[in-house]
Amino acid sequence: MPMEQLTMPLVRTTEAAARGATDWIGRGEKEQGDGAAVEAMRQAMTAVPMAGEVVIGEGEKDEAPMLYNGEQVGNGEGPKVDIAVDPVEGTNFLAKGMPGSIVVLAAAPQGQMFRPGPGFYMDKLVVPPAAKGKLDPNAPLASKLGDLASALDKQVEDLRIFVLDKPRHQDMIQEVRAAGASVRLATDGDVSGGVMAALGESVDALMGVGGTPEGVITACAAKAVGGDMFGAMAPQKDDEEKQIREFGLEPGQVLTMNDLIKGDNVLFVATGLTSSDILDGVQDYGDLITTDTMVITGAHGTVQRIRTEKPVSS
């Protein structure tokens, strides 16, 4: 079953999560805002005609009461589906009333998504379709930038690389700039950065260490648009590295996009919460709430925007 048949039911879940979290924008309570999004998304998902399992969610069952890893979602009828969710990417942006928070969901047939187990951090490289298959993930950074520039028919000086503004990336940021490229920094939101890179909009690549769950979700978007992605487990603590090895993964081992998401039959859905580079935020006009959603379907490689107006009372 092509995933696009679930498009509108899943769009309704991200829209519901975005509307559910709007009251928490700018209130300094990121946990409360995230919780409101989770609850609204979970409730809306009960009506989706699928037998879904949360592969990437809010953590294990004892840590998260809803949308936890392994939870069964949907109405139980229809296709068996792997689900990855990030009910609020950019909780700090939400809490501070800043641009950049989105609601994200990805879906694929059962067994298609990479399961990271205890691997919380991933070193990522995401590039647009023109660079697919033309970069060596193990090459030195300067070489990767040169190959990327050639693939995109640009000079290295014209490249713009999305990097999370974290202490762990300071050396890499300096190296990118030393090679001649510019850096687009963000404190959070590497799903948004990865989508921009895969689409070739605003940035030419995403590089650096971010969340593994976000990496799997990003891989779905990159796969759907024909871009390319590599990932590698990048533990930030000694105990995490031990747990990764016990799970059967090797830190630093390069995972291709096909390792992260098998097949092309994927669906990526994102709704803006506060306005971002890729989506407008929820707008509350008193008696009407509008949402802006991006849908990427891998079966046909299509990207569409869905803007919905919903009366507040309904």
Side-chain angles (χ1 to χ4, degrees):
M1 172 184 175
M3 285 295 102
E4 63 258 38
Q5 294 186 30
L6 294 175
T7 296
M8 291 315 299
L10 291 177
V11 166
R12 299 301 177 230
T13 69
T14 58
E15 289 177 342
R19 290 194 300 268
T22 53
D23 286 346
W24 295 98
I25 294 174
R27 296 188 180 276
E29 299 283 352
K30 66 178 185 179
E31 291 84 4
Q32 296 288 343
D34 186 61
V38 169
E39 186 171 355
M41 177 179 277
R42 180 64 179 82
Q43 179 60 37
M45 206 172 282
T46 60
V48 178
M50 65 179 182
E53 179 182 353
V54 176
V55 173
I56 303 290
E58 292 290 280
E60 301 301 330
K61 185 174 183 179
D62 58 347
E63 296 291 335
M66 288 185 288
L67 299 180
Y68 54 83
N69 298 350
E71 183 178 4
Q72 305 302 303
V73 293
N75 66 5
E77 300 176 0
K80 295 181 178 180
V81 177
D82 284 350
I83 295 290
V85 298
D86 194 350
V88 178
E89 189 205 30
T91 53
N92 286 320
F93 297 149
L94 167 66
K96 295 177 181 179
M98 296 171 61
S101 62
I102 61 174
V103 175
V104 185
L105 178 151
Q110 185 182 53
Q112 300 289 292
M113 286 185 188
F114 174 70
R115 299 183 181 228
F120 298 118
Y121 290 93
M122 176 184 287
D123 193 2
K124 309 168 194 177
L125 170 62
V126 183
V127 295
K132 184 175 181 179
K134 297 182 180 179
L135 272 71
D136 177 0
N138 293 312
L141 180 56
S143 296
K144 285 200 283 267
L145 291 173
D147 292 340
L148 177 62
S150 296
L152 302 182
D153 196 22
K154 294 183 176 184
Q155 300 297 314
V156 171
E157 291 75 14
D158 298 324
L159 296 178
R160 194 178 193 204
I161 311 302
F162 184 100
V163 181
L164 288 178
D165 190 6
K166 305 291 184 182
R168 60 180 177 264
H169 290 148
Q170 294 312 302
D171 289 345
M172 184 177 70
I173 291 168
Q174 292 179 18
E175 193 173 351
V176 170
R177 288 172 173 163
S182 65
V183 179
R184 161 67 189 277
L185 293 173
T187 57
D188 299 280
D190 65 341
V191 171
S192 295
V195 172
M196 287 192 292
L199 292 172
E201 295 182 357
S202 303
V203 299
D204 299 295
L206 173 143
M207 296 181 177
V209 176
T212 299
E214 291 84 354
V216 176
I217 294 172
T218 299
C220 291
K223 188 73 171 288
V225 300
D228 208 356
M229 178 173 175
F230 299 95
M233 295 293 99
Q236 301 300 296
K237 299 178 181 178
D238 290 341
D239 59 340
E240 185 185 353
E241 179 171 351
K242 178 183 177 183
Q243 291 170 3
I244 289 172
R245 292 184 188 278
E246 290 175 349
F247 187 71
L249 298 173
E250 191 67 25
Q253 177 184 349
V254 174
L255 302 168
T256 67
M257 189 163 59
N258 288 333
D259 293 323
L260 297 171
I261 177 69
K262 300 174 184 176
D264 297 326
N265 189 18
V266 298
L267 181 66
F268 172 90
V269 183
T271 298
L273 184 46
T274 60
S275 292
S276 67
D277 290 275
I278 61 173
L279 290 162
D280 294 331
V282 177
Q283 300 295 319
D284 187 345
Y285 296 103
D287 59 345
L288 195 70
I289 293 181
T290 65
T291 53
D292 182 25
T293 300
M294 174 186 290
V295 179
I296 307 176
T297 53
H300 304 293
T302 58
V303 181
Q304 60 179 316
R305 295 282 287 275
I306 299 173
R307 298 178 188 271
T308 302
E309 297 181 351
K310 187 177 182 67
V312 171
S313 59
S314 63

